[in-house]
Amino acid sequence: MAILLLFIVNGHRNLLLERICRVKIFLDCFPCFLRQALEASRISGAGEETQRAVMDRVMEKLLDISREETPPQIGSMIHETIRKATGNSDPYREIKHRHNEQALAMAEELTALITGSASPLSDALKLAAAGNLIDMGPERKWNEMRDIFRDFTRKDPTHFDYASFEKALGKAGTLLYLGDNAGEIVLDKILIGVLLRETNLDITYVVRGGPVINDATMEDARFVGMTDLVRVIDTGTAFPGVVPDASSRKFLDYYLGADMILSKGQGNYESLSDEEKNIFFLLQAKCPVIAGKIGCGVGDMVLKPRRGDSAMKREVE
């Protein structure tokens, strides 16, 4: 592994940098890819030899990534490599179940807080955005799930464009809600409950087509009762984001036909931020790359329409 890393840094430095500069990822993403690979290998129960084999294989693949790939596509490659090496088809299954149970245990209290709010929809959006921290992809900054929701209504509203979102809702008949993580899906359910009470929207909720990191799948949607509330479909693929070109025909029918899309989380933002659709992104910026692209700070709560990303440039020394 060390020899390969030296090979990357020295012998193929120029070739790798040339490729990186033309893809939809940044140099800052690469340490995160390797951290995810090692962490997921350990969560899957792999021994040190298998962990080393996974890291070697991932670094080999990073040398040859396509200039058109997004972080969710590379993330899918990493986790497919881990599944094959360890024989564990869903390393995060127990973690997802635990997160769902923890969020469900707080659901009644959080729902009451939203119901009693002077602005239920705005605060439900903020609650769902706070839940976006329940993410095993980026480096985590929390220990107890309850801490995530402390003072969520008092977050800096600078990048929270509720006025535009409310205006767009008034013109929409159908909403496609792109979910992100297990646990977080419980907060999405609370938000959807408010949307159903305050609008006449026909809402479809979307989960991943297979296990990847701690992203929500149909199993999670059934467990938390989302399937009892609205129509739920999957993307047809196990990407930690939405990649339209690789998605199922059924998903694309809903995606292309939706009047409005609410997209949760960084992975969906990374794969859809250039799409020409009526998309609103709802997330917490969890890394400098995403924060820089949006034009906000790390940790900021974001509700924004697809238009208006700040230009983000990276120079290679």
Side-chain angles (χ1 to χ4, degrees):
M1 186 167 69
I3 292 174
L4 177 60
L5 195 53
L6 287 172
F7 179 71
I8 293 173
V9 172
N10 295 322
H12 273 52
R13 182 178 185 277
N14 292 336
L15 175 61
L16 184 59
L17 292 185
E18 179 183 0
R19 287 174 175 170
I20 290 169
C21 290
R22 291 185 294 184
V23 298
K24 297 178 180 179
I25 60 172
F26 298 92
L27 286 170
D28 310 70
C29 299
F30 280 74
C32 189
F33 291 147
L34 295 176
R35 178 191 55 76
Q36 279 190 45
L38 182 58
E39 184 177 81
S41 298
R42 289 172 173 167
I43 288 173
S44 71
E48 186 172 339
E49 186 174 337
T50 302
Q51 293 174 31
R52 183 179 294 273
V54 166
M55 297 298 287
D56 285 347
R57 183 64 180 138
V58 167
M59 285 190 286
E60 287 172 4
K61 289 188 175 184
L62 289 177
L63 280 171
D64 199 35
I65 56 174
S66 164
R67 69 186 65 179
E68 295 302 319
E69 287 181 302
T70 60
Q73 289 171 301
I74 296 169
S76 180
M77 173 274 291
I78 289 170
H79 290 278
E80 178 63 21
T81 301
I82 292 164
R83 287 192 290 270
K84 288 180 178 178
T86 64
N88 188 336
S89 62
D90 191 0
Y92 291 84
R93 191 169 189 270
E94 290 184 12
I95 293 173
K96 291 188 290 183
H97 185 72
R98 184 167 68 249
H99 286 170
N100 285 334
E101 288 188 323
Q102 289 173 349
L104 284 170
M106 293 184 285
E108 185 176 350
E109 175 187 348
L110 292 170
T111 300
L113 186 65
I114 296 301
T115 303
S117 166
S119 304
L121 181 53
S122 175
D123 283 348
L125 283 160
K126 292 175 182 177
L127 176 65
N132 186 231
L133 285 177
I134 308 172
D135 189 346
M136 297 296 290
E139 241 180 319
R140 288 172 302 289
K141 307 293 184 183
W142 57 274
N143 292 313
E144 297 293 330
M145 188 179 291
R146 183 170 291 275
D147 295 340
I148 292 172
F149 306 112
R150 186 167 287 121
D151 297 327
F152 71 88
T153 59
R154 299 178 187 175
K155 283 273 191 176
D156 182 356
T158 302
H159 303 283
F160 196 83
D161 191 356
Y162 177 68
S164 294
F165 180 82
E166 189 176 36
K167 183 178 179 181
L169 275 183
K171 300 177 181 178
T174 59
L175 174 70
L176 190 68
Y177 193 129
L178 306 178
D180 194 5
N181 300 305
E184 178 183 353
I185 191 175
V186 175
L187 294 315
D188 295 339
K189 185 183 172 188
I190 293 172
L191 170 55
I192 288 173
V194 176
L195 286 167
L196 290 173
R197 288 194 299 273
E198 297 199 359
T199 73
N200 294 315
L201 286 168
D202 179 2
I203 301 174
T204 300
Y205 189 80
V206 182
V207 294
R208 307 302 187 216
V212 59
I213 323 181
N214 69 317
D215 288 32
T217 64
M218 194 64 73
E219 178 181 351
D220 302 295
R222 294 191 183 103
F223 182 80
V224 305
M226 183 69 83
T227 51
D228 298 326
L229 186 65
V230 291
R231 180 189 305 109
V232 181
I233 64 171
D234 65 56
T235 59
T237 59
F239 289 106
V242 173
V243 182
D245 289 348
S247 298
S248 68
R249 182 71 254 174
K250 180 178 181 179
F251 168 77
L252 288 175
D253 286 343
Y254 280 96
Y255 178 75
L256 296 173
D259 296 332
M260 182 176 175
I261 297 171
L262 180 59
S263 172
K264 282 294 296 292
Q266 288 194 166
N268 289 334
Y269 177 79
E270 288 170 317
S271 49
L272 296 176
S273 58
D274 292 331
E275 286 285 299
E276 295 293 334
K277 292 286 292 177
N278 183 24
I279 303 178
F280 278 79
F281 296 100
L282 181 63
L283 65 138
Q284 283 213 38
K286 288 165 279 192
C287 75
V289 171
I290 297 300
K293 191 173 194 302
I294 293 172
C296 67
V298 173
D300 283 354
M301 186 177 286
V302 176
L303 173 65
K304 69 180 295 293
R306 186 201 63 81
R307 56 177 169 72
D309 284 353
S310 65
M312 183 180 182
K313 297 181 180 180
R314 286 286 186 274
E315 295 183 2
V316 177
E317 296 294 323

